[in-house]
Amino acid sequence: MYTFSNRLRTAAFVLMIVGALGLAYGFFAAPSTEAEALAMVADAHHGDDHGDAHEAGAAMEHGDAHAEEAHAEAAHGEQAHGEEAHAEDHGSSHGEHVLHQLQNKPWAALYVSAFFFMMISLGVLAFYAIQRASQAGWSPVLFRVMEGITAYLVPGALILFVILALSGLHMNHLFVWMDPEVVAHDELIQGKAGYLNVPFFLIRALIYIGGWGAYKYFSTKFSRAQDTASDDSNFIKNFRISAAFLVFFLVSESMMSWDWIMSFDPHWFSTLFGWYVFASMFVSGITVIALITIYLKSKGYLDFVNDSHLHDLAKFMFGVSIFWTYLWFSQFMLIWYSNIPEEVTYFVTRIEDYKLPFFGMLAMNFIFPLLVLMNSDYKRLNWFVVMAGIVILFGHYIDIFNMVMPATVGDQWFIGIPEISGILFFAGLFIFVVFNALTKAPLLAKRNPFIEESKHFHY
Amino acid sequence: MASKVIQALYNDDDVLMSAVKRVKAERHHIEEIYTPFPVHGLDKVMGLAPTRIAITSFIYGCIGLTVAITMMNFIMIQDWPQNIGGKPSFSYLENMPAFVPVMFELTVFFAAHLMVITFYLRSKLWPFKEAENPDVRTTDDHFLMEVALSGNEDELKALLVETGAVELKITEKH
């Protein structure tokens, strides 16, 4: 049995408290009036050339449409919705726009972190189900670690649900399509209102969370029941529900990515988006399995885990990183190549306002793991895998950041106190929930038909 | 005498493995082992150096990537930068997404093919090469170990029989 070390527990609480304070500061520091917002922007841009560019860009932008809302990317400019309605209040529209962006900042910081950590445990759950359904012989010694990590899924997803529900109650401007004022002037969103409406959106969210939570609950239950069983019936049940879950997961994950990420830009759509988000969560999940396995092994809890298990996890990190890059590039290149205005604005805003995070994540998620994890010997070195894993996790945080921020805070982004605090808070919560769950069952599954093979796994 | 070898035939790969360990422990020099299929772990037991073919492949891949970049930069950007469908041909970087498929494929092409050719060269394989098979049964169901003979014939024979050899032959090394 694992015992949660006091130092780690304290560290988790410190992270949570510091993070919560920082997030509170973020909400406190957000402007409440247009004048404040404009003053903040003027301060921030004072003396750098970006200021001019921004003012020019903003002036050009509210010439046409978007003034009414925080989504307000140049992206939406050419849709020309609400043009007449807002052309006259030219002067105040810039202020309103900036106000909404700045008010969104702490919310978006909270959302990105909440989604990122939820997505890690969802990725681990998918990995776990694949290991079960494929009857992998190498991984059963890691099942308890995976079960521990997926314990964060339900609380994490419920926190996200609360944020979504608060958005639905108009506590923030994260989702443009939730604002009736915007929808009234936007025929494109009106056309999608059959799918994008708050009640249906929240019901869908509950269905996804319910499905994932049910699988997590029953698979863990059967897995623990197998420890004391006299036959393999629990193992077989687990095999069946894992296969069924994977079918449900593929559909629900895809729809979840449309709902929770893609609907930040309700004018834009991409067909492989679900896969892209999946690749991101899958590689982050595998990385976290590797990191927690290395941590527990270093504390002497996983003596049955050897270099070859680590090697396999590192191979997955390497392979799925490249899979992520493949999907990222497929999405980017197809849109860049055809250059259709209504699609390409998504990348135009990202490349103009988010150049460093947008291309930086490519270095962190592709080039770094490609070069570091290619060598077979390095994949067996703990410190190498840890180093690569930390870079991959940061890279995928930036990936989610790039998906959410341009539509919510636009060019007002900054990785400052609210963003870092969001990471700290959810990292603390994640550590607390996961390591707490690890104390609940022995770290080696007994009576799993593949456990002996897995213990002697050698590559 | 140095060119004489003793050939021991085995009919089981597990027996072969333990025989190799035994012969190595007795400090005899194993010239060669012929098996009908890959025997997992045989190279480790024999103490063969690990292959470096993956390293050559990485280098070939880098060469392929360089070839692709140089080629397309010259053709599309330097030599005749036409406007084709509005694609920006002012610099390589601006038009790079369009070149990535070619860059990727050439990297893989060079890495794969040159590595295979390297393998052929290093293992001396080519069409019409005369087979170096000491006993035709080693391609079907027998394993053959060749041990160098240096005047210790009876002692070595006894050792090999003890390790489970089903047949022994003494022959000139070809």
Side-chain angles (χ1 to χ4, degrees):
Chain A
M1 290 293 266
Y2 171 69
T3 41
F4 199 164
S5 81
N6 273 327
R7 282 176 60 194
L8 192 62
R9 195 195 304 267
T10 315
F13 279 120
V14 169
L15 285 174
M16 275 192 271
I17 291 165
V18 171
L21 288 175
L23 280 171
Y25 167 79
F27 282 101
F28 173 73
S32 52
T33 64
E34 289 179 17
E36 268 180 61
L38 286 172
M40 283 171 79
V41 175
D43 271 357
H45 292 301
H46 186 72
D48 73 3
D49 56 343
H50 184 63
D52 297 335
H54 172 73
E55 293 307 320
M60 192 184 71
E61 278 171 32
H62 48 87
D64 35 20
H66 78 107
E68 75 267 294
E69 209 11 83
H71 72 291
E73 301 305 331
H76 303 279
E78 70 279 336
Q79 303 299 345
H81 50 84
E83 185 160 1
E84 297 77 14
H86 292 274
E88 66 272 21
D89 57 358
H90 216 236
S92 69
S93 62
H94 177 229
E96 192 185 348
H97 170 49
V98 172
L99 174 66
H100 283 167
Q101 289 187 329
L102 290 176
Q103 282 181 335
N104 267 342
K105 262 191 81 169
W107 281 101
L110 181 73
Y111 189 91
V112 171
S113 305
F115 184 86
F116 178 68
F117 284 94
M118 186 283 296
M119 143 183 132
I120 288 175
S121 59
L122 185 58
V124 172
L125 192 68
F127 188 73
Y128 177 78
I130 291 171
Q131 300 303 309
R132 288 259 178 211
S134 63
Q135 308 202 347
W138 67 277
S139 52
V141 292
L142 301 171
F143 276 176
R144 286 291 148 81
V145 176
M146 297 184 212
E147 283 163 18
I149 299 170
T150 54
Y152 179 77
L153 178 60
V154 172
L158 286 177
I159 291 172
L160 206 62
F161 180 79
V162 169
I163 302 175
L164 296 175
L166 290 177
S167 303
L169 294 171
H170 309 299
M171 299 283 287
N172 56 49
H173 300 93
L174 284 181
F175 294 91
V176 198
W177 57 266
M178 285 180 177
D179 189 338
E181 180 70 11
V182 176
V183 179
H185 294 112
D186 191 326
E187 285 190 36
L188 266 171
I189 301 182
Q190 282 165 23
K192 297 181 182 185
Y195 186 79
L196 287 182
N197 61 73
V198 174
F200 187 32
F201 178 78
L202 293 180
I203 291 168
R204 283 198 306 268
L206 282 180
I207 293 173
Y208 312 146
I209 297 171
W212 305 334
Y215 171 70
K216 154 67 193 158
Y217 174 78
F218 285 109
S219 65
T220 307
K221 190 179 143 194
F222 293 147
S223 168
R224 290 186 189 164
Q226 180 67 23
D227 278 5
T228 52
S230 54
D231 60 4
D232 287 341
S233 62
N234 287 299
F235 174 79
I236 294 164
K237 275 191 241 169
N238 228 344
F239 168 75
R240 291 199 183 122
I241 62 167
S242 300
F245 168 74
L246 285 171
V247 176
F248 172 78
F249 172 77
L250 273 187
V251 178
S252 61
E253 189 277 332
S254 193
M255 292 178 71
M256 176 277 280
S257 70
W258 309 336
D259 285 3
W260 298 357
I261 302 279
M262 203 158 75
S263 80
F264 282 114
D265 297 275
H267 285 180
W268 182 81
F269 63 88
S270 162
T271 39
L272 61 69
F273 198 74
W275 278 109
Y276 173 59
V277 174
F278 167 73
S280 214
M281 70 170 61
F282 204 50
V283 69
S284 317
I286 294 165
T287 304
V288 170
I289 298 175
L291 295 182
I292 292 186
T293 305
I294 290 170
Y295 171 77
L296 290 175
K297 192 170 161 59
S298 76
K299 297 286 172 196
Y301 288 106
L302 296 176
D303 290 331
F304 40 86
V305 171
N306 59 38
D307 280 357
S308 297
H309 296 109
L310 190 66
H311 190 154
D312 265 26
L313 283 172
K315 272 191 281 190
F316 266 108
M317 283 161 64
F318 175 72
V320 183
S321 284
I322 289 167
F323 177 64
W324 173 89
T325 314
Y326 167 66
L327 292 175
W328 175 84
F329 183 71
S330 301
Q331 179 169 283
F332 172 73
M333 195 266 242
L334 286 183
I335 290 173
W336 174 85
Y337 209 108
S338 61
N339 205 19
I340 302 172
E342 67 258 33
E343 285 180 352
V344 84
T345 49
Y346 184 83
F347 287 111
V348 169
T349 48
R350 275 156 183 79
I351 291 174
E352 281 186 355
D353 295 338
Y354 289 74
K355 210 176 212 81
L356 182 64
F358 189 69
F359 291 110
M361 77 169 174
L362 204 60
M364 291 204 283
N365 292 343
F366 174 58
I367 298 171
F368 188 81
L370 177 82
L371 296 176
V372 167
L373 292 177
M374 192 185 295
N375 189 314
S376 188
D377 297 331
Y378 294 169
K379 288 199 272 271
R380 292 164 171 269
L381 297 177
N382 284 353
W383 68 275
F384 240 88
V385 177
V386 170
M387 188 176 70
I390 289 170
V391 173
I392 289 174
L393 285 181
F394 271 107
H396 285 281
Y397 173 81
I398 300 290
D399 187 18
I400 304 299
F401 187 86
N402 279 330
M403 290 186 213
V404 173
M405 290 298 177
T408 50
V409 304
D411 57 2
Q412 300 300 323
W413 72 275
F414 188 68
I415 299 191
I417 290 174
E419 286 79 9
I420 293 169
S421 305
I423 301 177
L424 296 182
F425 176 77
F426 284 101
L429 188 66
F430 184 84
I431 291 171
F432 178 72
V433 173
V434 168
F435 284 89
N436 208 30
L438 285 171
T439 61
K440 298 283 192 281
L443 286 176
L444 180 64
K446 285 187 277 293
R447 289 213 80 261
N448 182 308
F450 292 108
I451 201 76
E452 282 306 314
E453 178 183 345
S454 181
K455 274 200 262 183
H456 298 113
F457 173 66
H458 157 78
Y459 167 74
Chain B
M1 286 299 277
S3 65
K4 282 223 163 162
V5 290
I6 184 161
Q7 296 179 333
L9 277 149
Y10 297 84
N11 51 16
D12 187 280
D13 48 338
D14 287 334
V15 177
L16 174 76
M17 288 284 274
S18 53
V20 173
K21 280 181 203 154
R22 186 76 200 280
V23 171
K24 288 289 279 188
E26 302 280 339
R27 304 196 146 274
H28 290 292
H29 177 67
I30 298 175
E31 294 275 351
E32 194 64 87
I33 294 181
Y34 298 86
T35 65
F37 53 79
V39 177
H40 189 73
L42 187 59
D43 54 336
K44 284 220 176 67
V45 178
M46 287 172 72
L48 299 181
T51 172
R52 288 169 297 179
I53 200 151
I55 299 168
T56 67
S57 182
F58 180 77
I59 295 167
Y60 298 146
C62 294
I63 295 171
L65 185 63
T66 313
V67 168
I69 292 173
T70 317
M71 177 181 78
M72 285 182 299
N73 184 49
F74 176 71
I75 297 173
M76 303 301 291
I77 309 293
Q78 305 298 333
D79 191 34
W80 196 357
Q82 279 191 104
N83 182 341
I84 303 169
K87 285 278 160 283
S89 51
F90 307 108
S91 73
Y92 190 77
L93 208 56
E94 271 181 296
N95 207 0
M96 200 192 69
F99 301 146
V100 166
V102 181
M103 286 154 66
F104 170 78
E105 293 294 346
L106 278 181
T107 307
V108 174
F109 178 88
F110 273 64
H113 288 82
L114 293 181
M115 177 176 76
V116 168
I117 293 168
T118 307
F119 169 74
Y120 286 153
L121 292 175
R122 289 293 289 149
S123 32
K124 302 191 180 69
L125 284 174
W126 60 85
F128 312 113
K129 178 195 164 90
E130 202 181 326
E132 297 168 357
N133 191 357
D135 191 308
V136 73
R137 287 171 294 172
T138 61
T139 62
D140 183 15
D141 61 349
H142 277 65
F143 304 81
L144 190 148
M145 172 162 49
E146 253 179 20
V147 187
L149 206 53
S150 47
N152 49 355
E153 204 179 307
D154 294 335
E155 183 198 333
L156 187 53
K157 267 184 173 168
L159 174 68
L160 289 171
V161 169
E162 203 182 312
T163 60
V166 291
E167 195 180 316
L168 294 176
K169 269 192 293 187
I170 295 177
T171 145
E172 292 288 325
K173 176 77 183 157
H174 34 244

